Amino acid sequence: MSVTISKRPGTAGATRLRAWQERALAAMADWREGSFLISAAPGAGKTRPALEFARTELACGRVGGVVIACPTAPLTRQWAHAAHALGLELAPDADTPRPPHGFHGVVVTYARIASAPRVWAAAARGRTLVVADEAHHLGEDLAWGAAFGQAFGASGRWLLLSGTPFRSDAAPIPGVAYDSDGLAEPDVAYTYAEAVRDGVCRPVVFVTYDGALSWRSGEDVIESSFETVLSPREAARRYRTAISTDLPDGLPRILGEANARLAALRAGGQPDAGGLVVAADSDHARRIAARLREVSGVTPVVVLHQDPRAAARLAAFDGSSDPWIVAVNMVSEGVDIPRLRVGVYATAAKTAMIFRQIVGRFVRTVPGREPEPSWLYIPAEPVLRDHATSVETELRQIVRRRDGQPDEEAELDALERRASERGEVLDFEPLSADVAPQLTLFGPASAAPAPARSTAPAAEPAALAPASVAPADGAARPLFERRSALRSRRQRLVAELARDRRVRHADINAEVNRALGIETVAKATVEQLERSIEWLDRALYSR
């Protein structure tokens, strides 16, 4: 049995399913146990079939609860918003498997699960549908993967989602099936090439840059382009020279080229087109921002992973028309900024997974616009060129070496990390760079570079009633946002009444809870919170 899903106008729920999403749902129709892997290109819309499936399974009674696990807290809120558009209410960033009253399930980070896997295991039983978003973050012998397996080992079904179903450390992903060659075997696959063909994703034009680079290595001065084969240590130093902000004719020149490209796109029909530079670390990001300010005349938005306001800064940039954002470790999965059109790859990380995740930031399309190309400037480092070449040609990825031999890419990364250790910084000094865009990969013929310029069982889900009709000013707010706003308002009223009566906040909270039969504020329903606000209003007005 299935249910008719009422879509909320003006939300993702109002869009029709794409052909590949319908194919995925059809493939899941007979899935009753074990794991199911959907491997789809970044930006292709993996969230939609997962939520459609969860909604149907809940409505039919085949599952008693839904737990969605993902890498970051901002992603939990994105999932909750997307679910709300389809009539599901999910509690984001949950710290317990038991959803609040009125919610159908929870969204939790892998880190929270890893902090208390037994608590989650006690509530997640056979009738729990577990969705693992960006499942490549799991590894069977790693902390998140081991905790995930412990928490949900007794669950009947795992729905695994990934745009890159492999790990750079070659660790197998829990629940993923492999063939005899160690290749992941998705149950449903939708490649980037297919997504571009179908107009679901933008094509990305890779513009490499190369030239004369020189650096001091110990007592020697070495000059080389990316065409020269060097030892891993010196190749790492060559790359660091290429992304240095201190050489005017190196990365700063490429930033100028990228800014000119972005300015042309903004003047040519997309005035809110945005650019992203992915930096190596916080200091590097700040120096890049200073160079961008020099060439663009605008101070870029800077987002650092240790900044507690990072998620808010990303959201603000998404809703603005600011031209540039510089980020470190904040632009991987789930960062959905469709207006990004130009990028500069200046991070020291060069693994295939990181590369594809960064490329994925530029493939999302803007509703109502043709999927015009995006542009990504990358150093002509051979490893990055190989990754760029593979983006459109690889259909499946090796996840572990069959013969047990060391992975060459992992060894190279390890050498680069050792070469970058603090103790050796004085042995390396970038001296000069004279680089320029050299080559365009996968671009259309006309795409030439621009000229420089708890243990209790999970709560039963609320009845899956049709979604309410959106008010005139847009779609109804998700339940978690309404509940959060009511709790904040109650807190302000409690503080005001406590000041008026000169008592503790706890005394006022206890009085309200006794009067209205509320166990705790944390467990209060939306209706109970609304009644408590009315109670507090009356108490204040009766002064």
Side-chain angles (χ1 to χ4, degrees), residues 51-253:
L51 288 172
E52 294 275 6
F53 180 76
R55 185 182 180 356
T56 299
E57 295 298 285
L58 282 168
C60 295
R62 283 194 286 264
V63 298
V66 175
V67 174
I68 297 174
C70 55
T72 66
L75 262 179
T76 68
R77 292 185 283 276
Q78 289 186 29
W79 270 95
H81 276 285
H84 170 73
L86 296 174
L88 286 173
E89 298 295 351
L90 301 177
D93 201 17
D95 55 7
T96 172
R98 188 185 183 101
H101 180 77
F103 286 79
H104 304 105
V106 300
V107 196
V108 60
T109 62
Y110 291 125
R112 280 196 186 273
I113 294 169
S115 67
R118 293 182 181 178
V119 173
W120 291 86
R125 295 303 182 186
R127 295 185 65 249
T128 299
L129 173 65
V130 179
V131 180
D133 187 25
E134 308 299 349
H136 51 268
H137 282 276
L138 304 174
E140 285 185 352
D141 298 324
L142 304 179
W144 283 8
F148 185 88
Q150 181 181 357
F152 304 118
S155 300
R157 288 184 287 181
W158 293 0
L159 176 55
L160 310 175
L161 311 175
S162 180
T164 52
F166 58 96
R167 290 182 54 87
S168 297
D169 60 9
I173 302 168
V176 172
Y178 302 103
D179 64 16
S180 58
D181 293 320
L183 297 173
E185 294 187 309
D187 296 278
V188 172
Y190 187 62
T191 66
Y192 172 64
E194 291 173 314
V196 171
R197 179 200 64 197
D198 296 341
V200 171
C201 290
R202 298 179 186 276
V204 175
V205 178
F206 296 97
V207 183
T208 62
Y209 64 89
D210 198 358
L213 301 163
S214 69
W215 61 96
R216 187 182 304 279
S217 183
E219 297 181 355
D220 299 326
V221 173
I222 300 177
E223 181 173 335
S224 169
S225 72
F226 282 109
E227 295 297 323
T228 304
V229 177
L230 298 175
S231 69
R233 183 182 300 278
E234 297 308 328
R237 291 175 171 178
R238 175 178 59 192
Y239 185 82
R240 289 166 59 194
T241 301
I243 63 173
S244 171
T245 58
D246 298 328
L247 309 175
D249 294 327
L251 180 61
R253 174 183 290 176

Side-chain angles (χ1 to χ4, degrees), residues 284-303:
H284 192 223
R286 295 186 183 97
R287 293 195 298 270
I288 287 174
R291 299 295 178 266
L292 273 175
R293 185 171 60 249
E294 293 172 1
V295 300
S296 69
V298 179
T299 301
V301 176
V302 178
V303 179

Side-chain angles (χ1 to χ4, degrees), residues 260-351:
R261 169 63 59 187
L262 181 61
L265 293 172
R266 289 169 71 94
Q270 189 181 347
D272 69 339
L276 163 68
V277 184
V278 185
D281 54 46
S282 299
D283 289 339
H284 192 223
R286 295 186 183 97
R287 293 195 298 270
I288 287 174
R291 299 295 178 266
L292 273 175
R293 185 171 60 249
E294 293 172 1
V295 300
S296 69
V298 179
T299 301
V301 176
V302 178
V303 179
L304 308 177
H305 60 283
Q306 70 269 31
D307 184 352
R309 300 169 297 170
R313 289 181 182 273
L314 283 171
F317 180 82
D318 183 23
S320 74
S321 60
D322 293 340
W324 282 103
I325 183 170
V326 183
V328 181
N329 293 342
M330 289 300 297
V331 289
S332 56
E333 303 90 340
V335 178
D336 188 358
I337 307 176
R339 66 187 188 89
L340 287 178
R341 295 287 305 280
V342 177
V344 179
Y345 194 105
T347 176
K350 301 194 291 290
T351 65

Side-chain angles (χ1 to χ4, degrees), residues 411-496:
E411 285 189 333
L412 178 59
D413 278 354
L415 284 168
E416 290 184 7
R417 285 194 297 271
R418 288 196 292 271
S420 301
E421 289 177 356
R422 186 177 301 275
E424 295 192 11
V425 168
L426 294 178
D427 292 336
F428 162 73
E429 179 188 359
L431 297 178
S432 68
D434 186 3
V435 301
Q438 300 288 309
L439 176 67
T440 300
L441 301 175
F442 309 132
S446 60
R453 24 163 219 179
S454 151
T455 61
E460 287 299 316
L464 285 169
S468 60
V469 177
D473 61 345
R477 295 176 69 185
L479 187 60
F480 80 90
E481 287 190 346
R482 292 168 51 204
R483 190 167 178 269
S484 177
L486 289 170
R487 288 186 63 175
S488 296
R489 185 177 175 188
R490 170 177 160 147
Q491 184 178 9
R492 290 194 299 270
L493 292 173
V494 165
E496 187 174 349

